[in-house]
Amino acid sequence: MFIYQPSLSKELEYTLGKIKNLFGVIPPHWELLAFIAPKRFEMFIVEIKYLLNHPNINPDFFAMLRLHVANKAGFSYCKSFNTKLLLAKGYDKTSIKELKEDIGLIPLDNRHKFLAQKAIKAMYQPKEFTLKDINELKDLSWSDSDIYDAIDHAGFLFKFARIIKAYSK
């Protein structure tokens, strides 16, 4: 699948085993990152742990953002991975299909729907994303940090999808 065939240290194999237990699969680009840049992989895992334990945003929100962006951008591996992840978390196929097309239909509360819409707007229409958008989110009790985390994660997939393509055979 990739230019390199990962050969990992015992420590990284252990870490990836824990990831497999958590997600049911080891995303191939995670294994590649662990092989190429172990320190960067550690930083990446810290980021993922932060999102999974986010103090204010439902952790499923981030998988839903990734799935929506993957669908819009045609990143087939990411569509498949995040669909499987959400199905394993108990979301139904209809809800997943709807959120792929319209981020406003994510199966979460209205606060999360609005945050998702604004994060996608910031990613795809950054010139139209204004202080008014931020203030509307703050009116729903989202903090600056929450807003940043949502926007940052909406762009997360673009970076890693391009890296996967660069290292793919």
Side-chain angles (χ1 to χ4, degrees), residues 68-103:
H68 180 76
V69 171
N71 190 60
K72 285 184 77 149
F75 300 143
S76 43
Y77 172 78
C78 300
K79 283 193 294 189
S80 174
F81 176 76
N82 287 292
T83 296
K84 289 176 185 173
L85 183 64
L86 291 169
L87 286 169
K89 289 180 160 275
Y91 293 95
D92 63 83
K93 289 180 183 180
T94 302
S95 296
I96 292 170
K97 183 179 181 204
E98 289 173 346
L99 82 89
K100 284 181 187 178
E101 298 299 324
D102 183 352
I103 195 63

Side-chain angles (χ1 to χ4, degrees), residues 111-127:
R111 284 181 70 240
H112 282 83
K113 287 179 185 186
F114 199 64
L115 181 62
Q117 290 170 320
K118 295 297 185 178
I120 294 299
K121 178 181 181 181
M123 190 51 45
Y124 285 97
Q125 302 164 305
K127 289 182 180 180

